Amino acid sequence: MSPDRYGDTAGVVPGRPEGRAVLRIRALEPYSSEFTSEQIGVIADIAEKYGSGIVHVTPRQTVEVPDIDNSSIGKIAELLGACGLSLGSTGRHMRNVIACSRWCLYNAVPVSDLARKLNSLHAGRVLPGKMDISLSGCDFSCVRSRTSDIGVIARADIELTDKECKKCSLCVKAPLGCQVDAINLSDGGLTIDRDRCVRCGFCSNICRPGTIEVRSRSFDVYVGGCGGIRPREAVFHKSLDSEEALVDELGRILDRYAEHGWEGARIGDVIEKKGTSFLEG
Ligand code: SF4
Ligand code: SF4
Ligand code: SF4
């Protein structure tokens, strides 16, 4: 295990008790947060044999195995590699790209495969500072897209069709319908307040007659957010209408950040100093 240019090794962090390491484990296939049962079994065996029988799931959807002797790390890396797992998602390396589960009913666009694609393209890349990318399937932003270095929120633009509204009112309110009171149903018919609408698409999911349908889907990109000791909300960057365009744009943002960032700077620090113009061009 060779140390990277910052003197740490990807996926290995000092732990307690002193002298024992914590290993952070990610899967590229399927992708971290969707480990296969075989992979879970291998992690469990490693925790039993080399650790203290405990594993911990991190906020960024990776698994940590604590209480590891440094002399075992090479052997453990081999065992992990044999079933598609690897050490990673620490330090100034590209962190695990996280996403909503693919089975959540509210996904305006399922984003799990996108996370897999981005992880495959960028896992292990060393950048000026920590880089979190979070993909939300709708405006609920369960994976905290607005406080990530790069956050993506999938959107569904809806339209009213000429199919007859049955006035069931299911689309009007939570839990299954509109969460932001953007739909008004009266004797005069159904109207959508476009200023309130957050383009989640919930109303189209619940409308059986097809009176409300999705017209188009897109991805809003936010940059510069973070949590931690000095939390910061990400700023809206741009909206993209295809997965391909999104993958290209995120790759470009990472390149620009690598070029303009300085050691230890998060992308939000670069934006604070230079504005967002460095992201273009
Ligand atoms: S952000 Fe939306 S799609 Fe993602 S888990 Fe939450 S409710 Fe589901
Ligand atoms: S798409 Fe707009 S109108 Fe429909 S449920 Fe979401 S916020 Fe409400
Ligand atoms: S869910 Fe569809 S049918 Fe029911 S009130 Fe809303 S638009 Fe009309």
Side-chain angles (χ1 to χ4, degrees), residues 227-273:
I229 203 161
R230 205 161 61 89
R232 184 167 43 204
E233 185 151 355
V235 293
F236 175 73
H237 174 54
K238 63 175 62 167
S239 193
L240 297 157
D241 61 8
S242 73
E243 264 191 38
E244 293 70 32
L246 178 65
V247 170
D248 286 352
E249 179 63 16
L250 297 195
R252 221 176 51 79
I253 292 173
L254 292 176
D255 290 344
R256 304 294 289 166
Y257 169 47
E259 189 183 331
H260 289 263
W262 55 94
E263 192 167 317
R266 304 277 291 261
I267 193 168
D269 298 326
V270 186
I271 291 171
E272 258 180 28
K273 190 163 179 186

Side-chain angles (χ1 to χ4, degrees), residues 204-218:
S204 66
N205 293 342
I206 198 65
C207 181
R208 295 281 178 266
T211 312
I212 305 176
E213 285 187 350
V214 173
R215 176 173 50 197
S216 63
R217 298 181 197 273
S218 57

Side-chain angles (χ1 to χ4, degrees), residues 167-235:
K167 297 192 164 49
C168 66
S169 79
L170 284 175
C171 62
V172 177
K173 286 202 180 311
L176 299 175
C178 189
Q179 318 280 313
V180 293
D181 295 328
I183 300 181
N184 182 45
L185 181 62
S186 65
D187 291 344
L190 186 123
T191 55
I192 312 271
D193 181 339
R194 295 284 173 182
D195 290 335
R196 281 177 177 263
C197 175
V198 294
R199 297 175 288 142
C200 63
F202 295 179
C203 50
S204 66
N205 293 342
I206 198 65
C207 181
R208 295 281 178 266
T211 312
I212 305 176
E213 285 187 350
V214 173
R215 176 173 50 197
S216 63
R217 298 181 197 273
S218 57
F219 302 95
D220 284 358
V221 181
Y222 299 80
V223 287
C226 65
I229 203 161
R230 205 161 61 89
R232 184 167 43 204
E233 185 151 355
V235 293

Side-chain angles (χ1 to χ4, degrees), residues 83-94:
C83 69
L85 297 169
S86 61
L87 298 172
S89 202
T90 56
R92 290 173 192 174
H93 299 94
M94 175 83 180

